[in-house]
Amino acid sequence: MKRTLILACILLCSMELFAQSQWIRFSFVSKDFPCEDVSKELTISTFLSGKDSTIFKQQFSECSRLIEIPKIAGTYSFTVKTQLYQPILLSFEIQANTADTVQLGELVLKETVSVLDEVTVTGIQRRFIQVDADKTTITVKDNPVLTVSSIYDAVLKIPGVVPYPGGGFAISGQIASVYFEGIPSSLSTDDLVNLLKSLPATSVETIEIISNPGASYDANVTGAIINIVSLGKVTKWLSGTFTLNYGLNQNNKLSPSLVMSGRRSRWNWQFQAGYSYNERSNLTTANKTYTSFNPVASLISERKEQTVSQYYYFKPSVNVRLTKRSNLILNYNGSYSDNIYNGNSTTNSQEITPAVDLQTKYWSQNKGQNNEFIVKYRNEFDTLHRVLNITAFYSTYWNNSRRNNTQREFASEDFSVLNYRLKIQKFYFRADAEIPFEKIKFYLNTGIKYQNLNTNNIGSYNLQNTSEEIFANPFYTSSIDFKYREDNLAAYVELKKRLGKKVSIGAGVRAENFSLTRSSNITVSAQNNYFNFFPSFNAIYRISSDINLIGTYSRKIGIPNFSQFDPNNSGYYDTYNSSTGNTQLKPNFYDNAELKFTVFDYLQLSVDYTHSGSLNLSEIVVQPNSLQSTQTFKTFNNVNTVSYFMSLPVPFGIFKKGLKFFDEPVEIDKISFMYLYGEFTKTQISGYNYLERNKGIWTAGVYSQFILPWKIRMNVDYYISAKGNYQIYQFIKNRSALEVVFSREFYDKKLKTSLSFEDIFNTDQSTTRLAFQNLNMDSYSKNDTRIIWFKVSYSFGRYEKPESDAGGPPEKPNLNGGL
């Protein structure tokens, strides 16, 4: 066996280095459907030393191909496999006098004429995780672990992704940006979470985790990217999925959704719509110690809030095939949100003279509407995959928020009204050219981008009025008109090269300029320009076909969100609490590095390091001998974060079969397993005064699957985070949650049902300690996370995802030595 492998390697190397090239030309035709709509996989094999050896293997979608293989005498097998269509099996022979190009002619794609009750394919192992140097791709389609719930739940089931304390997701201690089809989301954190919880995971093809984005991504992306790629459902007839989720605890949660699609001769369409109704409860307590008093003074606050959120979304899209190699894609994303908050709070202290005894009741309504228009043009110039992608994006977002406050302290009452009118307009244009040179294993990617963001937020106030009539007939005694504009121009170039069969490297540089303008009627206007070069590098060394060593580096810039500049008081408000932005915040430059070791793509060991010259974080400002707290933002200098991550799959079959278990095809929906993971993150901020020794946070978790009788699948997900510091937050209690899901599929997997029990022991909470000048604060926050979910989805029609119709990236030569 070893001699055969050595001989094969020698022959392959000699063919690549010294032998002539043999070109194989062929094309496809079909009668009732465009051949570009069919995703195909080609395998060319021959015999070396009596053993079958694969010379070429690649997926593609175009109708004609010109394939290069080493010219060595022998008989070759030519196999093309497709979904739903008959396979094509051919053979050809190469001799010394064979012409440089072998013409195989036109190959006919035919639909399968018979329906089999059961088909068993052996020797093919589905891989739901693919690790490359620049990203990790998780397949969601047909993945039973991820498709039982919403996209939000699917993302959190990916090891290494955790909820961010302020909302959204975090990876390796950094907040992660969410992209859709390679375009950054323009939604606010709350609206984005509502959308992700409403969208079914069955509408997703893949989720890409880009832990260290390279030069082709915005320099303003300081952490990881979670790119969600929709499932292209293309069929002659109507197809789709209907999903209904219902959650129950002391509140009700309901989210129906519908995805439909269809195809005609030169165009296809897709339609997504959904609605989310979510009642939730929150309890927050805070114990504030004011250190400037002698002796120190303290206030104890408790706030209970009940929220009713309604969210609607509407997402139609049309894909028009202009020519055999070009597509025009039109998308519209519309959403509407209506959130109503009812809360009451108490703040008291017996240590202060006069004593504090404040009771606050508030009602708030927040209405938002978002409209996004996306146009994509894609042209593949030839069979060598030279591609031009052009994307234009325009969005408008309106939000109107109103808050009524009633405060009672001892015998006196006062009333306040606050109103905010926010408008955000965003324009985005980019053009990307992808130019591979397959013959020399070289790939060039270059592009330009322009983005304009205009924000206007008008806050109107009438605070501590003596008349309750201002609720019925509101009028305002003061206002803050805040305007923010951001212009962004960038150009980049990325190069990738495969060195032999084991090493691939990529490098890029991005030149980007940011122009920021901010002004209001109560602050001094400010304008800044920031221009810099942002290099990136990645490399992968494939120790074997299943073992990889990956290293990446990138430099990024962190532009503060416009809300961090905004001086409006847009948070919780009472006599002792308010919030505002800081117009003096400055961007920060990050250096990010990652080293990762993977085995079978599932076992991973990685270390991430980030150095930040400064970092903008939340701060509570308290003046000396004052009890009033103002939440704002502050720039902390010299911030370093290191994160270690490990994941280990443990299939139960290994205890019975040993290592021979990996020699057989593995179907993840038919085996029982445990997936263990652990992470350690520590951030050191030199300008922050820690109350206690700065300790990193350990997080450990296990995701397991058990195959029960009657084809029932039970999944158990548990995580626990130990006490420690995350950025400026000191978690003084462990955080943990346990979820158990029972699921079953019916009617050839068209009907999927599940019953889940989230946070069974009701331990998902946050207990933190913060230290600022003149203030130390212990806080506790608990949401209604213990929920029983009933979920059902029904799919109809046929499904396939041709790359050309989906508008996704072109078929590229796998310069990372793909699987």
Side-chain angles (χ1 to χ4, degrees):
M1 179 65 181
K2 291 183 179 180
R3 294 177 58 189
T4 302
L5 290 175
I6 293 173
L7 179 58
C9 292
I10 293 174
L11 287 174
L12 290 175
C13 291
S14 63
M15 287 190 295
E16 182 170 325
L17 295 175
F18 302 108
Q20 297 179 345
S21 296
Q22 180 69 59
W23 295 88
I24 312 299
R25 186 186 297 276
F26 55 92
S27 61
F28 294 92
V29 295
S30 55
K31 181 180 178 182
D32 299 322
F33 48 88
C35 67
E36 298 99 327
D37 291 354
V38 181
S39 184
K40 318 170 194 55
E41 182 181 73
L42 168 65
T43 303
I44 299 177
S45 301
T46 189
F47 282 82
L48 295 173
S49 302
K51 299 291 184 180
D52 184 37
S53 177
T54 298
I55 300 299
F56 181 92
K57 188 172 184 179
Q58 191 180 89
Q59 292 186 347
F60 62 99
S61 59
E62 59 268 18
C63 292
S64 61
R65 292 297 303 270
L66 184 63
I67 302 298
E68 180 189 15
I69 65 172
K71 185 174 184 179
I72 186 169
T75 300
Y76 294 77
S77 63
F78 179 97
T79 305
V80 177
K81 293 182 179 180
T82 63
Q83 291 184 348
L84 306 178
Y85 305 100
Q86 297 180 19
I88 296 175
L89 306 175
L90 296 175
S91 65
F92 60 91
E93 188 176 0
I94 296 178
Q95 297 179 355
N97 58 353
T98 299
D100 290 340
T101 302
V102 174
Q103 301 283 352
L104 296 182
E106 290 187 339
L107 311 176
V108 180
L109 291 172
K110 297 180 180 179
E111 295 193 72
T112 303
V113 295
S114 60
V115 179
L116 303 180
D117 292 335
E118 182 176 354
V119 177
T120 301
V121 180
T122 60
I124 299 177
Q125 178 175 339
R126 289 188 296 170
R127 291 187 126 167
F128 290 105
I129 296 180
Q130 178 173 323
V131 177
D132 292 318
D134 53 352
K135 65 182 177 182
T136 298
T137 303
I138 296 92
T139 299
V140 179
K141 179 184 177 183
D142 298 327
N143 188 332
V145 173
L146 300 181
T147 55
V148 297
S149 190
S150 66
I151 295 178
Y152 181 86
D153 295 325
V155 171
L156 286 181
K157 283 183 171 63
I158 299 173
V161 181
V162 298
Y164 188 73
F169 308 102
I171 298 176
S172 300
Q174 301 289 333
I175 189 170
S177 302
V178 175
Y179 280 47
F180 291 93
E181 317 292 345
I183 297 176
S185 170
S186 61
L187 295 175
S188 66
T189 300
D190 289 341
D191 286 345
L192 177 61
V193 170
N194 285 331
L195 175 62
L196 294 177
K197 288 185 175 180
S198 302
L199 287 170
T202 51
S203 66
V204 174
E205 176 83 13
T206 59
I207 297 175
E208 298 174 345
I209 304 297
I210 306 165
S211 56
N212 201 357
S216 61
Y217 293 94
D218 295 340
N220 193 24
V221 179
T222 56
I225 288 176
I226 300 174
N227 186 34
I228 298 170
V229 181
S230 299
L231 176 66
K233 300 180 178 180
V234 184
T235 178
K236 281 186 178 181
W237 314 108
L238 183 68
S239 63
T241 300
F242 173 76
T243 303
L244 177 63
N245 299 334
Y246 175 69
L248 178 64
N249 50 17
Q250 66 268 33
N251 299 305
N252 293 300
K253 305 169 192 298
L254 178 69
S255 57
S257 63
L258 176 66
V259 180
M260 294 192 302
S261 64
R263 188 189 72 194
R264 294 296 181 263
S265 59
R266 300 184 66 86
W267 61 279
N268 64 71
W269 59 272
Q270 187 177 84
F271 169 83
Q272 297 185 54
Y275 166 73
S276 173
Y277 176 85
N278 185 9
E279 299 174 355
R280 63 182 184 272
S281 304
N282 174 263
L283 171 65
T284 303
T285 64
N287 187 348
K288 297 181 179 179
T289 302
Y290 299 85
T291 57
S292 63
F293 288 88
N294 187 18
V296 297
S298 64
L299 290 179
I300 299 176
S301 301
E302 180 179 276
R303 178 158 54 103
K304 296 180 180 179
E305 184 175 86
Q306 186 73 22
T307 306
V308 177
S309 298
Q310 298 184 77
Y311 184 82
Y312 309 81
Y313 68 89
F314 176 74
K315 297 164 63 71
S317 65
V318 176
N319 188 330
V320 182
R321 189 173 63 257
L322 303 177
T323 67
K324 289 185 177 181
R325 300 189 184 278
S326 63
N327 290 70
L328 181 66
I329 303 159
L330 306 174
N331 292 336
Y332 168 74
N333 300 326
S335 64
Y336 174 79
S337 61
D338 186 0
N339 305 313
I340 297 177
Y341 307 85
N342 278 287
N344 61 80
S345 68
T346 61
T347 301
N348 56 74
S349 174
Q350 300 300 321
E351 303 173 359
I352 301 174
T353 303
V356 175
D357 185 13
L358 175 67
Q359 297 180 4
T360 303
K361 291 184 179 180
Y362 62 90
W363 172 91
S364 176
Q365 184 172 27
N366 185 310
K367 293 184 177 181
Q369 182 178 346
N370 186 65
N371 297 278
E372 296 180 353
F373 303 88
I374 306 170
V375 179
K376 295 182 181 180
Y377 173 75
R378 170 185 170 84
N379 187 31
E380 188 170 340
F381 292 99
D382 48 38
T383 58
L384 299 177
H385 312 294
R386 295 185 176 96
V387 176
L388 174 66
N389 287 304
I390 298 176
T391 301
F393 169 93
Y394 175 76
S395 70
T396 58
Y397 177 75
W398 295 276
N399 184 278
N400 190 284
S401 177
R402 178 183 173 185
R403 177 188 290 265
N404 296 343
N405 268 41
T406 300
Q407 295 186 138
R408 171 183 287 271
E409 190 163 16
F410 300 112
S412 64
E413 279 189 331
D414 63 65
F415 309 94
S416 301
V417 289
L418 303 86
N419 186 40
Y420 307 97
R421 299 187 302 277
L422 172 66
K423 183 179 180 180
I424 303 174
Q425 292 179 298
K426 183 177 181 181
F427 174 74
Y428 178 100
F429 174 86
R430 67 178 295 166
D432 300 274
E434 302 172 346
I435 308 172
F437 301 88
E438 296 187 29
K439 199 169 184 179
I440 58 174
K441 309 296 183 184
F442 181 78
Y443 178 73
L444 169 67
N445 184 17
T446 185
I448 58 173
K449 187 203 79 168
Y450 171 73
Q451 177 178 297
N452 170 262
L453 175 69
N454 279 286
T455 300
N456 183 206
N457 188 25
I458 302 176
S460 302
Y461 309 91
N462 188 340
L463 305 180
Q464 296 180 320
N465 195 290
T466 57
S467 173
E468 191 176 2
E469 289 297 318
I470 63 172
F471 291 162
N473 301 292
F475 66 94
Y476 304 99
T477 58
S478 64
S479 67
I480 299 176
D481 188 354
F482 172 72
K483 293 182 175 64
Y484 175 80
R485 178 186 173 97
E486 178 182 315
D487 289 283
N488 174 217
L489 181 63
Y492 75 92
V493 61
E494 267 189 337
L495 307 173
K496 293 183 180 180
K497 181 71 172 75
R498 184 170 178 178
L499 306 175
K501 297 180 180 180
K502 291 185 176 294
V503 178
S504 298
I505 60 173
V509 63
R510 186 181 187 94
E512 192 149 5
N513 182 75
F514 293 89
S515 177
L516 312 181
T517 303
R518 49 209 181 273
S519 62
S520 76
N521 58 332
I522 66 168
T523 59
V524 178
S525 300
Q527 182 174 1
N528 302 96
N529 286 287
Y530 302 95
F531 174 81
N532 215 304
F533 291 95
F534 303 92
S536 65
F537 175 81
N538 65 73
I540 183 170
Y541 173 54
R542 296 197 175 273
I543 301 172
S544 71
S545 60
D546 295 308
I547 303 176
N548 309 306
L549 184 63
I550 301 170
T552 62
Y553 165 80
S554 69
R555 179 173 169 80
K556 297 294 181 180
I557 184 175
I559 302 293
N561 187 277
F562 76 89
S563 62
Q564 296 180 335
F565 293 121
D566 190 352
N568 278 291
N569 177 9
S570 56
Y572 175 78
Y573 166 79
D574 64 26
T575 301
Y576 300 98
N577 298 276
S578 62
S579 64
T580 185
N582 181 357
T583 58
Q584 303 306 311
L585 295 178
K586 295 182 179 180
N588 170 58
F589 292 91
Y590 296 78
D591 290 285
N592 308 299
E594 179 185 51
L595 184 64
K596 181 189 299 183
F597 177 76
T598 70
V599 180
F600 295 114
D601 293 336
Y602 292 90
L603 188 154
Q604 294 189 28
L605 298 172
S606 66
V607 57
D608 295 80
Y609 175 77
T610 298
H611 170 74
S612 310
S614 58
L615 185 64
N616 299 310
L617 297 173
S618 178
E619 182 194 34
I620 298 178
V621 176
V622 177
Q623 299 300 324
N625 300 318
S626 172
L627 298 177
Q628 293 183 333
S629 303
T630 302
Q631 182 173 340
T632 183
F633 297 91
K634 177 183 177 180
T635 299
F636 294 87
N637 296 318
N638 193 23
V639 181
N640 296 284
T641 300
V642 61
S643 178
Y644 303 91
F645 176 75
M646 180 206 72
S647 64
L648 174 66
V650 183
F652 295 150
I654 196 174
F655 298 110
K656 182 178 180 181
K657 299 180 180 180
L659 295 179
K660 293 182 179 180
F661 173 84
F662 297 102
D663 296 334
E664 301 175 0
V666 176
E667 294 293 335
I668 195 170
D669 56 342
K670 296 179 181 179
I671 66 169
S672 298
F673 65 87
M674 286 193 306
Y675 199 77
L676 307 172
Y677 60 92
E679 183 178 34
F680 174 79
T681 300
K682 184 175 182 179
T683 300
Q684 184 68 41
I685 305 175
S686 60
Y688 181 71
N689 182 26
Y690 294 94
L691 284 173
E692 301 175 7
R693 183 174 64 89
N694 181 20
K695 299 189 300 182
I697 288 184
W698 282 98
T699 299
V702 56
Y703 187 88
S704 57
Q705 175 171 283
F706 303 91
I707 305 302
L708 304 180
W710 303 296
K711 298 182 180 180
I712 296 175
R713 184 185 306 111
M714 182 177 73
N715 295 101
V716 180
D717 189 4
Y718 176 77
Y719 87 93
I720 182 170
S721 290
K723 303 174 185 178
N725 294 77
Y726 178 76
Q727 294 180 342
I728 63 174
Y729 302 93
Q730 180 187 353
F731 288 88
I732 57 178
K733 285 187 178 181
N734 295 337
R735 295 170 295 155
S736 64
L738 173 66
E739 178 185 7
V740 178
V741 182
F742 297 93
S743 59
R744 195 188 191 287
E745 298 170 336
F746 302 90
Y747 305 117
D748 194 25
K749 299 185 178 182
K750 292 183 177 180
L751 177 63
K752 298 180 180 181
T753 61
S754 70
L755 173 65
S756 62
F757 303 87
E758 292 187 2
D759 193 17
I760 292 176
F761 299 116
N762 204 29
T763 54
D764 192 353
Q765 50 74 41
S766 176
T767 306
T768 62
R769 179 170 293 160
L770 292 167
F772 301 103
Q773 187 174 3
N774 302 323
L775 175 70
N776 295 332
M777 183 175 72
D778 288 358
S779 63
Y780 168 83
S781 179
K782 182 72 180 78
N783 294 318
D784 61 333
T785 52
R786 183 158 59 181
I787 311 171
I788 300 176
W789 280 101
F790 304 90
K791 302 176 182 180
V792 59
S793 68
Y794 179 74
S795 301
F796 52 92
R798 300 183 307 178
Y799 308 96
E800 55 187 89
K801 184 180 176 66
E803 289 288 350
S804 59
D805 275 352
E811 296 284 348
K812 303 175 184 176
N814 197 335
L815 300 178
N816 295 318
L819 303 172

